[in-house]
């Protein structure tokens, strides 16, 4: 039998690509606290990615980034409106920020919040809505126009864009100029993987300044705490890896996109969509984290995971169970979640990693075809 195909094989930059940066840490004696390498990374992302628009603060992971962002952005009220079709970190961050997650259903094609159902929840809950936390599902460039309007109308918006770092829409980086907060993850399993890390971006410079202060114990100029802060800083060692990753990110992204395109071509040539298999309708150019695929309505994703496993192919089922189906969130209020429940029965996450060969993709597709 041929080799096992793992679901993911994270491939971080090799140490030789940042050894000189480690030397610079030895000389600078700066190890953390938004030091020179951290500042250089943040400035380069804003200058080279966002064309000088907005501001960015690194965080030690996206879960902490979401906690800080939700805490900073929220208005009085009780609920954080969000999809249930997301990673547990989204509702957990809201709970840590003292809010109750309220789950809203998603669209059957984009797998992002359903704007009509979101409006129904906003009408129903009114002033009790403290914040809205949409998720840009699996890195898609979910339309932020309506969320910018909502934010402008006084309902704060924090976007969970964990997998969307480097997503581009018509050549522009995702979130550019957005008035709310956009949270990205740099976890090893994300496209911009550096081990652990993340960043929060906003078009609103003051919002990032406040977030940065909150991420350093809420310390004001006099080093006395003036906010419910915590420690969300990255070390200079992490910043060195981030800078080295930034140098090669365009190649990583194009490699991921071409593997995704090969999957799409294979699915088409095997006529799997005629058999009821479906891919996500995505917006923009996405640095795909893995290959999500929806099973035909009559097929359960668990059966397919087991079948592929017999062929030596490892798959996952993000996000199944959906959040409202997990014990920690089982008491959270929600509207109708029929689409979410259908997706969570049918969603499959197929292998996608940078060194995958064409033969690996064929093997996965043949395994799907059965
Ligand atoms: C990866 C991910 C997170 C958490 O990111 P960390 O950096 O690991 O904390 C949050 N939300 C979503 C949707 C994710 O995919």
């Amino acid at each position: 039998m041929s080799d096992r195909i793992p679901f993911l094989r994270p491939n971080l930059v090799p140490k030789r690509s940042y050894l000189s940066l480690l030397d610079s840490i030895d000389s600078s004696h700066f190890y953390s606290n938004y030091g020179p390498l951290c500042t250089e990374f943040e400035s380069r992302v804003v200058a080279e990615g966002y064309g000088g628009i907005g501001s960015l603060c690194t965080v030690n992971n996206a879960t902490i980034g979401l906690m800080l962002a939700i805490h900073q952005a929220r208005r009085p009220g009780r609920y954080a409106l969000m999809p249930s079709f997301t990673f547990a970190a989204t509702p957990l961050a809201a709970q840590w920020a003292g809010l109750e997650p309220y789950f809203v259903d998603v669209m059957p094609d984009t797998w992002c919040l359903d704007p009509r159902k979101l409006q129904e929840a906003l009408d129903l809950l009114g002033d009790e809505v403290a914040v809205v936390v949409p998720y840009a599902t699996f890195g898609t460039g979910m339309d932020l126009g309506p969320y910018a309007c909502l934010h402008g109308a006084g309902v704060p918006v924090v976007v969970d864009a964990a997998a969307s770092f480097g997503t581009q829409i018509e050549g522009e980086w995702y979130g550019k100029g957005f008035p709310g907060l956009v949270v990205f993850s740099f976890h090893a399993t994300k496209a911009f993987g550096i081990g652990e890390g993340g960043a929060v971006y906003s078009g609103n410079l003051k919002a990032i300044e406040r977030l940065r202060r909150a991420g350093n114990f809420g310390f004001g100029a006099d080093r006395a705490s003036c906010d419910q802060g915590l420690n969300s800083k990255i070390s200079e060692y992490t910043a060195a890896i981030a800078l080295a990753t930034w140098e090669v990110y365009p190649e990583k992204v194009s490699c991921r996109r071409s593997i995704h395109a090969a999957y799409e071509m294979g699915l088409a040539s095997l006529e799997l969509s005629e058999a009821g298999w479906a891919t996500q309708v995505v917006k923009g150019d996405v640095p795909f984290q893995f290959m999500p695929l929806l099973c035909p309505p009559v097929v359960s994703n668990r059966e397919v995971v087991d079948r592929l496993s017999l062929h030596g192919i490892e798959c996952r089922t993000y996000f199944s169970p959906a959040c409202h189906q997990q014990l920690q969130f089982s008491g959270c209020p929600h509207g109708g979640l029929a689409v979410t429940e259908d997706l969570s029965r049918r969603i499959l996450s197929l292998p996608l990693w940078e060194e995958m060969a064409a033969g690996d993709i064929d093997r996965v597709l043949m395994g799907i075809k059965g």
Side-chain angles (χ1 to χ4, degrees):
M1 175 158 162
S2 37
D3 289 343
R4 217 175 121 271
I5 301 178
F7 168 54
L8 296 181
R9 198 165 73 167
N11 186 31
L12 272 61
V13 288
K15 67 176 185 292
R16 65 184 139 74
S17 65
Y18 54 89
L19 274 179
S20 65
L21 295 173
L22 299 185
D23 286 337
S24 82
I25 297 173
D26 289 346
S27 330
S28 77
H29 293 266
F30 253 108
Y31 303 99
S32 182
N33 289 20
Y34 310 120
L37 297 182
C38 173
T39 303
E40 184 185 341
F41 174 69
E42 292 174 349
S43 316
R44 286 191 67 184
V45 174
V46 173
E48 297 165 27
Y50 288 100
I53 304 292
S55 183
L56 179 105
C57 181
T58 46
V59 287
N60 53 359
N61 62 65
T63 309
I64 293 285
L66 282 165
M67 273 173 62
L68 277 175
I70 291 170
H71 177 72
Q72 290 297 301
R74 64 166 295 185
R75 63 179 190 178
R78 174 170 176 188
Y79 298 114
L81 271 49
M82 63 178 65
S84 171
F85 193 70
T86 181
F87 189 51
T90 328
L92 283 172
Q95 289 182 330
W96 278 105
L99 297 173
E100 205 175 333
Y102 182 103
F103 297 120
V104 176
D105 213 356
V106 292
M107 300 286 286
D109 53 354
T110 62
W111 312 340
C112 293
L113 274 184
D114 181 330
R116 203 174 44 82
K117 290 176 185 161
L118 175 62
Q119 190 55 55
E120 282 170 16
L122 287 166
D123 292 342
L124 178 72
L125 303 169
D127 291 346
E128 287 303 311
V129 176
V131 65
V132 175
V133 191
Y135 164 44
T137 307
F138 303 140
T140 186
M142 174 185 69
D143 188 6
L144 289 178
Y147 290 111
C149 293
L150 190 63
H151 189 88
V155 182
V157 177
V158 172
V159 183
D160 183 337
S164 301
F165 189 73
T167 293
Q168 293 189 31
I169 298 173
E170 287 161 16
E172 305 241 296
W173 268 53
Y174 188 58
K176 188 172 176 181
F178 185 70
L181 294 158
V182 186
V183 183
F184 300 106
S185 172
F186 299 161
H187 187 262
T189 55
K190 301 295 202 284
F192 193 90
I194 62 171
E196 291 280 359
V200 183
Y201 170 85
S202 178
N204 177 344
L205 308 193
K206 283 231 155 58
I208 294 298
E209 213 173 283
R210 278 203 309 277
L211 188 126
R212 185 184 300 284
R213 187 180 65 190
N216 188 29
F217 312 103
F219 281 164
D222 53 0
R223 296 192 59 76
S225 186
C226 53
D227 192 0
Q228 186 189 333
L230 46 71
N231 180 358
S232 66
K233 293 164 292 173
I234 62 168
S235 82
E236 286 288 279
Y237 297 99
T238 293
I241 300 174
L243 277 166
T245 307
W246 183 254
E247 291 292 338
V248 296
Y249 197 43
E251 290 112 86
K252 282 177 165 286
V253 169
S254 72
C255 172
R256 287 172 174 277
R257 286 185 191 148
S258 61
I259 295 169
H260 188 274
Y263 265 121
E264 291 273 15
M265 276 176 55
L267 287 164
S269 70
L270 293 172
E271 299 184 340
L272 286 170
S273 66
E274 287 79 349
W277 299 84
T279 53
Q280 181 186 15
V281 172
V282 297
K283 187 161 187 259
D285 296 312
V286 178
F288 295 96
Q289 185 193 355
F290 48 77
M291 176 69 204
L293 183 69
L294 211 55
C295 301
V298 293
V299 178
S300 132
N301 49 7
R302 306 281 158 196
E303 290 165 35
V304 184
V305 169
D306 292 344
R307 177 153 48 97
L308 287 169
S309 168
L310 293 176
H311 292 276
I313 300 160
E314 184 190 31
C315 295
R316 293 277 193 276
T317 57
Y318 293 113
F319 294 103
S320 175
C323 289
H324 73 285
Q325 298 165 330
Q326 300 176 30
L327 182 62
Q328 174 65 14
F329 314 111
S330 58
C332 296
H334 56 79
L337 294 170
V339 175
T340 300
E341 292 188 352
D342 182 52
L343 291 179
S344 82
R345 265 190 305 271
R346 295 167 56 199
I347 196 75
L348 263 185
S349 325
L350 303 179
L352 194 163
W353 32 274
E354 288 157 29
E355 287 151 326
M356 260 183 114
D360 295 327
I361 299 170
D362 290 343
R363 262 182 67 199
V364 177
L365 290 168
M366 293 318 290
I368 294 279
K369 193 153 190 256

